[in-house]
């Protein structure tokens, strides 16, 4: 009984408690006010889709490029939510966007469901994943759909390809397509999917070459369609925003900028003050992942390793697109810290499953360490969340809908059109004071 208590019931209770607390926090703090990309990627698209004169025109709007991304999978989901709810409510959308995180934990569970300490593993994963370290994303509806769901789709694709069968292959293709049309980094999953199938063909010898060959064909077709009509927006933006000193800098300085940016993103989960500490942690994490991948590549199950490498590929993609025009120190308080959090959570689960040390009671040392991290992240970044919300309240109460690199008059007009057409029903003003007064009956 004691063994089951500490191996199953207490970790299971803690796992559920972490999820409940996280969603209580999101529910309590999410607001029905559009923020940045919400306006152009959600409100504007629904307006254009609703006013389209034909189905073809509506689909053209849903599949239109957004910045450097294809976000059609999210747009289709958002439009379905809009039809079901009768409006775009950003409180609801924020909750549904965050739902991707427990879905990712469900995928993690699939990889460890046969392990004795599976609920201890899941508790550690929940503590590492469900916290406020990536605070700029938690209450931003469009960002949650982009950043959270691309990992859900990509991880789901790689897990579905394990011990592949025809139905699982089809599922993986759908999930890979969803990942590609959620966030630009999602296209990386096609390369890793090929690695998974080649591993099953060459190393474990459980499938024929037909699977990787067919996957390669589907990959080429999907990426060709993805690139059709696509323009490199960030490249044009870099040319206009990049300081002349950086443009004219020697090649080695630019390479050093990319390298430092990459490792700072990789290790940013544990600090918001030191790029050196983040860079060292990032380098250590990449070293550990490489060593584990080499040591265990002959084993049949490489799902979690591939998920880790998807995160690394995503970091490389962000580095390629952002390193030259955003200084590394800004990473520590940006949405990109999510990538480090995902890497830490996934790599920790991989190590728990692979390393023999976890077969002893030593595994429980990870639980208090994860709890300490969870408490630190939630406590330390609570003020950052509050500051962001206060800024959003002020912007809304002053009829300002700010979107980076967009004319304010244009973004304000989009919101006004959404309100007049009934697509968006804004809360009272001044928010949240009016809401508090209404709740107390004043």
């Amino acid at each position: 009984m004691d063994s089951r208590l500490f191996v199953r019931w207490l970790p299971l209770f803690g796992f559920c408690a972490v999820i409940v607390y996280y969603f209580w926090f999101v529910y309590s703090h999410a607001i029905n006010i559009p923020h940045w990309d919400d306006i152009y990627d959600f409100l504007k698209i629904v307006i254009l889709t609703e006013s389209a004169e034909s189905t073809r025109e509506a689909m053209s709007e849903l599949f239109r490029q957004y910045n450097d991304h294809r976000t059609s999978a999210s747009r289709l989901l958002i439009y379905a939510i809009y039809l079901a709810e009768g409006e775009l409510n950003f409180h609801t959308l924020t909750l549904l966007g965050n739902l991707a995180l427990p879905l990712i934990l469900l995928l993690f569970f699939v990889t460890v469901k046969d392990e004795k300490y599976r609920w201890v593993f899941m508790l550690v994963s929940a503590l590492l994943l469900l916290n406020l370290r990536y605070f700029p994303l938690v209450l931003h509806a469009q960002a949650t759909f982009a950043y959270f769901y691309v990992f859900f789709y990509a991880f789901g694709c790689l897990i579905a390809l394990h011990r592949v069968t025809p139905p699982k292959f089809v599922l993986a293709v759908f999930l890979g397509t969803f990942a590609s049309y959620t966030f630009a980094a999602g296209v990386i999953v096609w390369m890793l999917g090929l690695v998974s199938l080649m591993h099953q063909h060459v190393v474990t010898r459980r499938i024929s070459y037909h699977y990787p060959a067919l996957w390669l064909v589907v990959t080429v077709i999907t990426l060709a369609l993805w690139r059709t009509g696509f323009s490199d927006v960030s490249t044009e933006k870099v040319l206009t925003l990049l300081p002349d000193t950086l443009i004219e800098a020697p090649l080695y300085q630019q390479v050093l900028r990319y390298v430092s940016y990459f490792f700072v993103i990789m290790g940013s989960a544990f600090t918001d003050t030191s790029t050196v500490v983040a860079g060292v942690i990032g380098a250590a994490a990449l070293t550990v992942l490489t060593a584990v991948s080499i040591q265990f590549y002959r084993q049949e199950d490489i799902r979690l390793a591939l998920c880790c490498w998807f995160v690394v590929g995503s970091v490389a993609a962000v580095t390629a697109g952002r390193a030259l025009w955003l200084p590394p120190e800004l990473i520590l308080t940006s949405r990109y810290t999510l990538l480090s959090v995902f890497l830490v959570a996934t790599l920790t689960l991989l190590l728990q499953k692979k390393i023999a040390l976890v077969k002893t009671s030593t595994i429980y040392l990870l639980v208090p360490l994860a709890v300490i991290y969870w408490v630190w992240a939630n406590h330390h970044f609570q003020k950052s969340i509050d500051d962001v919300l206060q800024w959003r309240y002020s912007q809304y109460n002053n009829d300002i809908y700010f979107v980076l690199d967009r004319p304010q008059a244009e973004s304000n007009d989009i919101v006004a059109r959404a309100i007049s057409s009934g697509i968006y029903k804004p809360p009272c003003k001044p928010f949240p004071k009016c809401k508090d007064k209404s709740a107390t009956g004043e």
Side-chain angles (χ1 to χ4, degrees):
M1 179 61 185
D2 288 344
S3 175
R4 285 193 298 171
L5 178 65
F6 289 101
V7 171
R8 178 183 299 178
W9 298 116
L10 283 181
L12 177 57
F13 174 80
F15 173 76
C16 294
V18 171
I19 294 176
V20 170
Y21 176 83
Y22 181 84
F23 275 90
W24 169 82
F25 180 91
V26 174
Y27 181 85
S28 301
H29 291 77
I31 54 177
N32 183 24
I33 299 173
H35 178 55
W36 287 15
D37 297 307
D38 294 339
I39 296 172
Y40 282 86
D41 197 27
F42 287 175
L43 279 180
K44 183 179 179 180
I45 293 302
V46 172
I47 291 171
L48 295 175
T49 302
E50 283 289 281
S51 61
E53 297 180 355
S54 65
T55 302
R56 181 175 181 178
E57 183 180 341
M59 295 304 292
S60 176
E61 296 298 340
L62 289 170
F63 282 87
R64 191 180 300 277
Q65 174 184 351
Y66 183 68
N67 291 336
D68 282 330
H69 310 281
R70 300 283 194 185
T71 61
S72 310
S74 296
R75 289 174 177 177
L76 288 169
L77 186 55
I78 293 302
Y79 190 64
I81 295 169
Y82 161 73
L83 294 177
E85 197 169 17
E87 64 173 304
L88 278 186
N89 186 303
F90 291 93
H91 184 275
T92 302
L93 295 179
T94 302
L95 284 169
L96 293 176
N98 278 275
L99 185 62
L101 297 177
L103 290 176
I104 290 170
L105 289 174
L106 177 62
L107 294 176
F108 283 175
F109 180 78
V110 169
T111 68
V112 298
K113 59 184 175 63
D114 297 325
E115 300 288 331
K116 176 182 178 181
Y117 295 102
R118 57 188 175 276
W119 289 116
V120 180
F121 296 171
M122 295 308 301
L123 173 58
V124 172
S125 295
L127 290 165
L128 293 175
L129 194 60
L130 299 181
N131 57 68
L132 302 183
R133 177 60 188 97
Y134 41 89
F135 67 92
L137 295 172
V138 175
L139 302 178
H140 184 186
Q142 189 271 355
T144 60
F145 277 90
Y147 283 82
F148 296 170
Y149 275 94
V150 70
F151 283 99
F152 169 63
Y153 296 140
F155 286 6
C157 172
L158 296 172
I159 289 171
L161 286 175
H162 178 62
R163 296 181 179 177
V164 68
T165 61
K168 291 172 70 176
F169 183 91
V170 173
L171 175 61
V173 168
F174 276 110
L175 291 172
T177 303
F178 293 158
S180 303
Y181 283 87
T182 296
F183 199 67
V187 300
I188 298 169
V189 77
W190 295 101
M191 178 181 68
L192 293 173
L194 182 61
V195 171
S196 175
L197 294 173
M198 288 300 296
H199 178 268
Q200 293 178 66
H201 172 60
V202 176
V203 179
T204 63
R205 299 184 182 278
R206 64 173 309 275
I207 62 172
S208 71
Y209 70 90
H210 296 97
Y211 277 107
L214 182 57
W215 183 264
L216 185 58
V217 171
V218 174
T219 298
V220 171
I221 294 173
T222 303
L223 295 185
L225 291 173
W226 194 93
R227 286 293 306 180
T228 300
F230 190 88
S231 59
D232 295 317
V233 177
S234 68
T235 301
E236 300 171 2
K237 192 180 294 184
V238 166
L239 293 177
T240 59
L241 297 179
L242 199 61
D244 292 338
T245 53
L246 198 52
I247 295 176
E248 299 170 358
L251 179 61
Y252 80 90
Q253 288 187 8
Q254 296 190 29
V255 171
L256 183 62
R257 175 74 169 242
Y258 278 108
V259 172
S260 62
Y261 203 90
F262 175 83
F263 285 116
V264 168
I265 294 180
M266 291 272 286
S268 59
F270 295 99
T271 178
D272 67 332
T273 58
S274 174
T275 55
V276 174
V277 171
V280 171
I281 294 174
L286 182 62
T287 300
V288 171
L289 175 58
T290 302
V292 172
S293 299
I294 293 173
Q295 182 177 359
F296 295 106
Y297 85 96
R298 289 191 175 277
Q299 294 187 3
E300 185 176 8
D301 188 358
I302 61 170
R303 289 173 290 182
L304 288 173
L306 291 176
C307 289
C308 288
W309 284 109
F310 177 80
V311 181
V312 173
S314 299
V315 174
V318 170
T319 300
R322 298 289 184 267
L324 288 183
W325 60 286
L326 286 177
E329 55 268 21
L330 289 184
I331 295 169
L332 302 179
T333 54
S334 77
R335 62 184 63 189
Y336 302 130
T337 57
L338 173 76
L339 302 175
S340 180
V341 172
F342 267 110
L343 179 61
V344 170
T346 311
L347 182 57
T348 300
L349 184 62
L350 172 63
L351 293 174
Q352 286 175 300
K353 185 177 179 181
K354 294 293 187 183
I355 305 300
L357 183 66
V358 302
K359 295 180 180 179
T360 73
S361 59
T362 312
I363 184 177
Y364 291 105
L365 290 176
L366 282 176
V367 176
L369 291 176
V371 169
I372 291 171
Y373 177 77
W374 182 81
V375 171
W376 168 78
N378 286 330
H379 175 74
H380 187 72
F381 295 101
Q382 174 73 62
K383 185 180 184 303
S384 298
I385 287 273
D386 293 339
D387 290 344
V388 169
L389 285 176
Q390 290 300 322
W391 179 79
R392 290 178 64 180
Y393 297 157
S394 175
Q395 295 278 298
Y396 172 71
N397 291 329
N398 288 284
D399 296 316
I400 298 172
Y401 296 96
F402 173 77
V403 181
L404 188 66
D405 294 332
R406 305 278 187 163
Q408 185 184 316
E410 183 179 271
S411 54
N412 276 28
D413 180 64
I414 292 172
V415 177
R417 289 169 59 192
I419 294 172
S420 64
S421 61
I423 291 173
Y424 170 56
K425 300 174 183 178
C428 59
K429 292 182 180 180
F431 191 86
K433 292 182 179 178
C434 60
K435 179 182 175 183
D436 295 337
K437 288 180 180 180
S438 175
T440 59
E442 296 182 16

